[in-house]
Amino acid sequence: MTLKERITEDMKAAMRASDKERLSTIRMVQAAIKQREVDERIVLDDAQVIAVLEKMVKQRRESVVAFEQGGRQDLADRELAEIALLQVYLPAQLSAAEVDALIKEAIAATGAASVKDMGKVMAAVKAKAAGRADMGAVSARIKAALSA
């Protein structure tokens, strides 16, 4: 079963269970997937659906920060609940040790010696960690590793 099919089945289950919050979030996911398919005139595969989900999670994390700074904890809590639902469809996240191991491996493979080579290392790590790690945090770790 593809990820899109799984999302559709979960939507049907949420309808049957009258789970309005979950149903709303799943419909939002389907709308984002459909929008990208229409815009690009393609049918998304699982990797592309994961990219859409990652983007949605990132947007919600940014919203949580903004809502908390604005004193709107109720809206921040709603965004956190959506993040939790979205993460169900994402692959398991890599641990810090696993990310560090990928970075060391990529540095060795690319022969990177300084921060100037960060793009090569980032590309190598992104290929292996896409969907399983926050690439912003990975970028910071690569920079630290190359600066040392």
Side-chain angles (χ1 to χ4, degrees), residues 70-88:
R72 294 295 308 265
Q73 191 58 44
D74 58 325
L75 295 175
D77 291 342
R78 183 171 176 220
E79 295 290 317
L80 288 169
E82 287 181 4
I83 289 171
L85 283 169
L86 293 172
Q87 288 180 330
V88 168

Side-chain angles (χ1 to χ4, degrees), residues 118 135-145:
M118 190 169 160
M135 296 314 288
V138 169
S139 175
R141 284 176 181 242
I142 291 172
K143 191 172 192 175

Side-chain angles (χ1 to χ4, degrees), residues 26-40:
I26 292 173
R27 281 184 171 158
M28 186 173 38
V29 168
Q30 286 192 314
I33 292 169
K34 191 67 166 172
Q35 182 66 49
R36 181 144 177 236
E37 287 181 336
V38 169
D39 288 349
E40 298 180 16

Side-chain angles (χ1 to χ4, degrees), residues 3 6 46-47 49-51 53-54 86-94 129-133:
L3 191 54
R6 182 173 155 216
D46 281 357
V49 171
I50 288 172
L53 290 168
E54 285 177 328
L86 293 172
Q87 288 180 330
V88 168
Y89 301 110
L90 293 173
Q93 296 294 299
L94 295 173
R132 301 186 307 153

